[in-house]
């Protein structure tokens, strides 16, 4: 398994939009055969900070995930919502 942690800091006025787009992406990601888990966590003391926990079955699956239409839609949708580049 490959576990990826993605740290995201969202603009405060975009939190709900980001959360909606990200939950949609997570639901679609779980339909991929290579995705074992896809969790969206929001920090309680700073709701503009999120952690995405992505668990892939093989080393090739993260790249496959990035080729999907739902990932590309998410990436393009949330690009301007981030307060800083995700890491």
């Amino acid at each position: 398994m490959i576990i990826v942690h993605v740290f995201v800091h969202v603009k405060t006025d975009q939190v709900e939009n980001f959360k909606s787009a990200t939950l949609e992406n997570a639901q679609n990601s779980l339909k991929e055969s290579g995705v074992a888990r896809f969790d969206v966590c929001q920090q309680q003391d700073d709701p503009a900070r999120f952690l995405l926990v992505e668990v892939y079955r093989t080393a090739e699956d993260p790249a496959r995930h990035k080729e999907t239409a739902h990932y590309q839609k998410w990436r393009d949708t949330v690009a301007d919502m981030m307060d800083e580049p995700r890491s």
Side-chain angles (χ1 to χ4, degrees):
M1 274 197 252
I2 303 294
I3 301 172
V4 177
H5 292 107
V6 181
F7 297 91
V8 185
H9 186 197
V10 179
K11 296 174 184 172
T12 56
D13 65 337
Q14 293 296 318
V15 168
E16 292 305 315
N17 292 333
F18 176 83
K19 188 172 9 176
S20 177
T22 303
L23 289 173
E24 179 182 334
N25 179 56
Q27 290 170 349
N28 287 314
S29 297
L30 288 170
K31 297 174 186 175
E32 297 174 47
S33 62
V35 176
R37 288 187 66 101
F38 200 112
D39 299 326
V40 178
C41 306
Q42 185 176 19
Q43 190 169 317
Q44 288 185 340
D45 65 344
D46 186 351
R49 294 191 182 270
F50 291 82
L51 170 64
L52 310 182
V53 181
E54 306 169 15
V55 181
Y56 298 96
R57 298 184 194 284
T58 71
E60 295 76 32
D61 289 322
R64 287 188 191 117
H65 168 67
K66 290 181 178 179
E67 294 173 356
T68 63
H70 61 267
Y71 168 79
Q72 293 172 9
K73 176 185 175 188
W74 173 82
R75 178 197 63 204
D76 295 344
T77 299
V78 303
D80 292 333
M81 295 180 189
M82 303 206 185
D83 203 28
E84 58 191 65
R86 64 187 185 273
S87 62

